[in-house]
Amino acid sequence: MMIEYKLNTPITPEELSRLFKASGINRPADDLPRLQKMIDNADLTFTAWDDEKLVGIARAITDFSYCCYLSDLAVDQDFQKNGIGKKLVKLLQEHIGEEVTLLLLSSPIAMDYYPRIGFEKADNGFKIMRKR
């Protein structure tokens, strides 16, 4: 398998929807206008491609100085366990540099995954959840 990684390559909401559904991540995959906003307003989007097929994404929002929020890390289930997610995070870390903290909120089913790729658990966070 030859996976190609790209930074800020344009993707369609349809491609993102298919990836979210194929990955098992809980996102508004059927709300294409909302997915377009998610694409448009990300600061960094690293993608993984198998030929013309989008198979992974790391979508982040950052100030490029102090913190970076990893909003989405998704890999098509047919491509999981091949290091794609780990590689996407590594590329993101290299791009933002050592002065920037990388943050994320994990789904309950991924709590065991993130420590395996270098994240440490934080207990000092708060959130106000979206209404939809």
Side-chain angles (χ1 to χ4, degrees):
M1 171 180 4
M2 187 63 168
I3 301 298
E4 184 178 1
Y5 296 90
K6 300 178 182 180
L7 172 60
N8 293 337
T9 294
I11 61 172
T12 66
E14 292 83 6
E15 287 172 314
L16 186 57
S17 173
R18 191 213 57 78
L19 175 59
F20 283 163
K21 290 174 182 178
S23 72
I25 194 171
N26 184 17
R27 294 293 185 273
D30 293 320
D31 188 344
L32 296 181
R34 191 170 186 184
L35 292 183
Q36 186 64 60
K37 284 186 197 176
M38 291 166 66
I39 294 165
D40 292 344
N41 293 302
D43 294 307
L44 297 169
T45 304
F46 282 92
T47 50
W49 300 84
D50 180 36
D51 287 326
E52 300 296 317
K53 181 180 182 181
L54 178 65
V55 299
I57 191 167
R59 192 178 66 83
I61 299 163
T62 184
D63 59 16
F64 295 98
S65 177
Y66 189 72
C67 65
C68 177
Y69 174 65
L70 178 55
S71 184
D72 300 313
L73 180 63
V75 176
D76 184 315
Q77 289 179 350
D78 291 340
F79 292 82
Q80 289 178 6
K81 301 193 185 317
N82 289 299
I84 294 171
K86 184 176 184 175
K87 176 72 173 185
L88 289 166
V89 170
K90 181 176 186 259
L91 291 168
L92 177 59
Q93 284 181 285
E94 289 172 355
H95 192 80
I96 61 176
E98 294 179 353
E99 293 180 345
V100 180
T101 299
L102 184 55
L103 309 162
L104 66 84
L105 292 174
S106 176
S107 74
I109 61 171
M111 289 297 290
D112 292 335
Y113 173 72
Y114 290 107
R116 293 196 315 256
I117 64 168
F119 284 86
E120 61 183 74
K121 189 174 182 205
D123 294 321
N124 59 339
F126 300 91
K127 63 182 177 180
I128 298 173
M129 283 301 293
R130 65 190 159 272
K131 296 195 191 278
R132 58 178 195 104

